[in-house]
RNA sequence: GGGCCUGUAGCUCAAUGGUCAGAGCAGGGCGCUCAUAACGCCUUGGUUGGGGGUUCGAGUCCCUCCGGGCCUACCA
């Protein structure tokens, strides 16, 4: 039994996430966590809301609420939706937690002691009307290059030219529209990652098995142009983790907070500490996952994220971990594998939180159960390139795979049994060569599924699982118990007994993808044995003759053309 | 501008430089009647975006052109 630490990129706090966010990190992480638990491994699956930064403050302001209240409310909303999608986090934390405050400040102090923090004075744009410094992209104005009047301070969207906020003609605040802007001098802490470039490169190059998407992004940041740059880790904001040197004040940094991207990955660790506290356990309970000197040396740590998150997870966060161990006193667990995803598009364009385009998690659950979405999203996960959600494809996939192949199989087996033998596993007959062949085929197919799951090949895993289901229909068609029954009731009994057991095996193996349907099958079969069918023959003898069951309701209702068209229209525009 | 990814059947995707480029869906045919008009079997369908090159051999490697996407460090 191995110990596996799994983190999903943290969903940002400023609103409900869309299906693209879900499939880019949390959902595949959940699939992996569920599978590894099912295989008997010890899993720690961590996620949290990412609560700091300018967008959170602005979202709270728009909602007319204090930012702390807003974040607390949105955290609850996101936690409920995660539960609705059956995301099986061991803990869903908050980056604003006391644990993260303490740990972030502690690690900053360690980096300072290591000589890896420098203080840099910068000039930044301050908006008097908004009472805040403005990040470059929150300043709008006319592009000096093309004359586009809604160019942002970092780049003109129209002509794609890179800009500096001071380049803009007639600059104004993107938040309030105010032109009462001034340039102020402000001091910030920088993480001296430049000095750790070789260490980071060696570490990344040692990861031979990482996806190209992951390593190419990391190496680009390391070596492109002037190479890896030092990174600001503080901001002039009210909401965030106050800048401290461990538990001591940091002279000159009063009133400043750490940059959200500094404290967000640290929350992976802090959230595990939150978990330990919630469980009534001591520090050793979380340290055995995160400190290689305290038990984490045997842990395999896997991160899931969208491609936009890769630089922070391959460079800044590792730099923090390596730097904090400058004297060998704090060996932190480093990531072993990064699974990154491309983007899911929606009907010819992008999903967009800011524009409200696409299907959002709450809307999705309001029209169909979680399993439908889980199945489609996972079986179409954007692994090798961006992929696209269309309602036609969704309808076709769900109806064929879930309703016809799996759902109908469960239905035909249980209903046939009920009508010929009653609602109990029939007795009599014995297995022959056909059944031996089925067991061999199932074993081979399961092995292929396991291989793909362990490699985190999400789409291929779904394909293998579907193939595993198809074997049941093929067997039934060939054995044809409805014909057998007319001449040899005992033989039909044996065939149905096997088929009922096969359905149980399907519930167990499918559980990482479609947990609710699996549970419904198990409940109908009156069984709670979720052990993995490593010995297929034995697994298919789990339900003995005479075992009572109930015929389940339709597992997956088909999506009708009317429904599809209705949803297509309903979700065609942007969300209010 | 630079970097990276990507382009394969009507659709969604496979294929360590090595049989005749394969699956699922859709389409066509046959079978079955237990089942959610479901299931099974067979089958149509390709100049692998265009062009050039390397190689005994290229979907795969190189060059070039065309299309789609992402990133480019103060959104997160």
């Amino acid at each position: 039994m191995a110990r596996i630490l799994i983190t999903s990129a943290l969903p940002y706090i400023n609103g409900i996430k869309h299906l693209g966010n879900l499939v880019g990190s949390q959902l595949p992480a959940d699939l992996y966590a569920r599978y590894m638990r099912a295989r008997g491994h010890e899993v720690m699956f961590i996620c949290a809301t990412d609560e700091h930064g300018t967008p959170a403050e602005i979202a709270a302001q728009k909602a007319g609420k204090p930012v702390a209240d807003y974040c607390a409310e949105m955290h609850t909303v996101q936690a409920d939706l995660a539960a609705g999608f059956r995301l099986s986090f061991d803990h869903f934390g908050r980056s604003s937690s006391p644990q993260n405050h303490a740990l972030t400040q502690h690690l900053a102090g360690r980096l300072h002691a290591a000589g890896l923090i420098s203080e840099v004075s910068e000039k930044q744009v301050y908006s008097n009307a908004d009472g805040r410094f403005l990040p470059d992209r929150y300043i709008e104005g006319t592009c000096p290059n093309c004359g586009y009047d809604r160019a942002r301070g970092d780049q003109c969207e129209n002509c794609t030219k890179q800009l500096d906020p001071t380049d803009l003609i007639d600059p104004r605040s993107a938040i309030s529209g105010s032109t009462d802007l001034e340039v102020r001098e402000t001091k910030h802490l920088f993480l001296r990652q430049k000095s750790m470039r070789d260490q980071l490169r060696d570490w990344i190059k040692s990861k031979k098995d990482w996806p190209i998407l992951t390593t190419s992004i990391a190496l680009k940041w390391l070596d492109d142009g002037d190479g890896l740059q030092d990174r600001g880790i503080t901001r002039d904001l009210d909401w965030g983790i106050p800048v401290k040197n461990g538990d001591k004040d940091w002279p000159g940094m009063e009133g400043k907070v750490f940059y959200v991207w500094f404290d967000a990955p640290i929350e992976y660790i802090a959230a595990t500490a939150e978990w330990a506290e919630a469980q009534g356990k001591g520090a050793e309970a979380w340290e055995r996952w995160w400190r290689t000197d305290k038990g984490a040396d045997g842990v395999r740590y896997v991160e899931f994220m969208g491609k936009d998150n890769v630089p922070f997870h391959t460079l800044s966060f590792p730099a923090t971990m390596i730097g904090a161990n400058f004297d060998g006193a704090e060996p932190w667990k480093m990531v072993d594998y990064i699974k990154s995803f491309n983007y899911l598009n929606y009907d010819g364009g992008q999903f967009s939180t800011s524009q409200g385009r696409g299907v959002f998690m709450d809307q999705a659950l309001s029209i169909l159960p979680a399993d439908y979405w889980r199945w489609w999203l996972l079986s179409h996960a954007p692994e090798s390139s961006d992929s696209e959600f269309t309602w036609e494809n969704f309808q076709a996939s769900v109806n064929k795979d879930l309703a016809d192949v799996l759902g109908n199989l469960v239905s035909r087996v249980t209903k046939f049994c009920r009508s010929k033998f009653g609602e109990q596993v029939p007795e009599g007959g014995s297995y022959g060569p056909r059944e031996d062949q089925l067991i061999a085929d199932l074993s081979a197919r399961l092995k292929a599924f396991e291989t793909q799951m362990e490699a985190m090949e999400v789409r291929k895993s779904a394909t293998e699982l579907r193939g595993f289901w198809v074997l049941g229909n093929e067997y039934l068609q060939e054995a044809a118990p409805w014909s057998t029954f007319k001449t040899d009731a005992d033989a039909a009994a044996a065939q149905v007994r096997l088929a009922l057991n096969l359905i149980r095996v399907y519930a167990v193996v499918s559980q990482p993808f479609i947990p609710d349907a699996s549970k419904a099958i198990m409940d109908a079969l009156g069984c709670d044995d979720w052990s993995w069918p490593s010995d297929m023959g034995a697994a298919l003898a789990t339900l003995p003759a005479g075992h009572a069951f109930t015929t389940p309701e339709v597992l997956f209702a088909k999506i009708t053309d009317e429904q599809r068209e209705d949803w297509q229209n309903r979700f065609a525009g942007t969300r209010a």
Side-chain angles (χ1 to χ4, degrees), chain A residues 344-419:
Chain A
L344 179 68
N345 291 322
Y346 178 75
D347 244 344
Q350 294 188 336
F351 274 91
S352 167
T353 303
S354 57
Q355 292 171 33
R357 185 169 193 283
V359 183
F360 290 74
M361 286 171 71
D362 56 337
Q363 298 170 326
L365 288 181
S366 77
I367 60 176
L368 285 172
D371 281 353
Y372 289 60
W373 299 105
R374 289 178 63 104
W375 174 255
W376 189 88
L377 290 168
L378 290 168
S379 61
H380 294 79
E383 289 179 300
S384 56
S385 66
D386 292 355
S387 65
E388 172 146 327
F389 176 90
T390 65
W391 288 100
E392 287 85 356
N393 188 302
F394 177 63
Q395 178 192 27
S397 252
V398 163
N399 286 356
K400 197 68 201 174
D401 300 343
L402 296 182
D404 293 347
V405 176
L406 179 62
N408 181 58
L409 176 69
V410 172
S411 189
R412 65 196 294 207
V413 169
T414 50
K415 285 182 180 170
F416 179 76
C417 183
R418 180 175 62 182
S419 76

Side-chain angles (χ1 to χ4, degrees), chain A residues 8-9 11 17-30 81-82 84-87 89 304 341 344 351 359-362 364-365 370 373-374 377-378 382:
Chain A
S8 160
K17 301 293 105 176
H18 52 62
L19 297 181
N21 297 128
L22 182 63
V23 75
S25 54
Q26 290 164 286
L27 191 53
D30 180 66
L81 287 169
F85 274 95
R86 306 296 181 251
L87 302 177
F89 306 131
F304 289 79
F341 289 86
L344 179 68
F351 274 91
V359 183
F360 290 74
M361 286 171 71
D362 56 337
L365 288 181
W373 299 105
R374 289 178 63 104
L377 290 168
L378 290 168

Side-chain angles (χ1 to χ4, degrees), chain A residues 294-352:
Chain A
K294 297 182 179 179
D297 48 341
V299 168
R300 175 166 165 80
Y301 174 24
V302 180
E303 293 174 348
F304 289 79
M305 68 194 67
K307 57 185 167 184
D308 52 331
N309 278 338
V310 168
F312 301 97
H313 287 82
T314 51
L315 301 168
S316 312
F317 185 41
T320 301
M321 298 285 90
I322 293 170
N325 190 35
F326 68 98
D327 56 0
E330 291 189 10
W332 295 93
K333 176 66 190 169
M334 305 274 287
V335 67
D336 292 300
Y337 190 85
I338 295 181
K339 175 73 179 179
S340 51
F341 289 86
N342 287 285
Y343 292 142
L344 179 68
N345 291 322
Y346 178 75
D347 244 344
Q350 294 188 336
F351 274 91
S352 167

Side-chain angles (χ1 to χ4, degrees), chain A residues 78-261:
Chain A
Q78 293 208 18
D80 289 347
L81 287 169
F85 274 95
R86 306 296 181 251
L87 302 177
S88 60
F89 306 131
D90 287 291
H91 189 73
F92 187 60
R94 302 183 58 187
S95 67
S96 60
S97 70
Q99 288 85 350
N100 199 34
H101 277 237
L103 186 58
T104 298
Q105 291 165 344
H106 169 76
L107 289 171
R110 293 285 297 171
L111 292 170
H112 184 55
L116 289 169
I117 300 287
S118 56
E119 296 187 5
V120 177
S121 242
E122 294 186 313
K123 287 188 167 57
Q124 282 197 354
V125 174
Y126 186 86
S127 165
N128 287 303
D130 296 303
R132 63 168 67 245
F133 281 93
L134 296 177
D136 289 357
R137 70 167 48 195
Y138 282 92
I139 303 162
E140 284 182 351
T142 302
C143 175
N145 188 47
C146 71
Y148 181 62
D149 67 353
R150 292 185 60 189
R152 289 190 323 217
D154 55 343
Q155 186 176 37
C156 173
E157 282 181 350
N158 189 49
C159 68
T160 74
K161 188 180 170 62
Q162 307 255 353
L163 300 173
D164 197 79
T166 53
D167 297 337
L168 292 172
I169 301 162
D170 299 331
R172 59 184 184 274
S173 162
I175 301 166
S176 61
S178 166
T179 55
D180 184 10
L181 308 178
E182 63 182 62
V183 175
R184 287 191 184 178
E185 183 107 4
T186 178
K187 193 164 71 175
H188 282 296
L189 301 183
F190 273 66
L191 175 60
R192 299 178 59 210
Q193 358 181 69
K194 202 172 192 166
S195 67
M196 302 172 71
R197 193 172 158 199
D198 292 337
Q199 265 174 291
L200 289 166
R201 188 190 296 102
D202 290 347
W203 175 68
I204 287 161
K205 292 236 164 136
S206 74
K207 307 297 183 184
K208 306 278 187 216
D209 61 334
W210 284 13
I212 292 172
L213 184 63
T214 304
T215 46
S216 64
I217 292 173
L219 290 174
K220 152 100 161 125
W221 278 56
L222 269 175
D223 294 326
D224 192 52
D226 297 332
L228 185 63
Q229 299 298 302
D230 292 345
R231 180 128 202 158
I233 60 165
T234 56
R235 289 292 182 273
D236 290 290
L237 293 172
D238 298 324
W239 172 241
I241 299 177
V243 175
K244 285 194 165 190
N245 177 1
D247 51 11
K248 298 189 293 291
D249 288 338
W250 203 309
M253 298 306 289
E254 296 81 6
K256 296 179 194 286
V257 300
F258 285 107
Y259 175 40
V260 54
W261 258 116

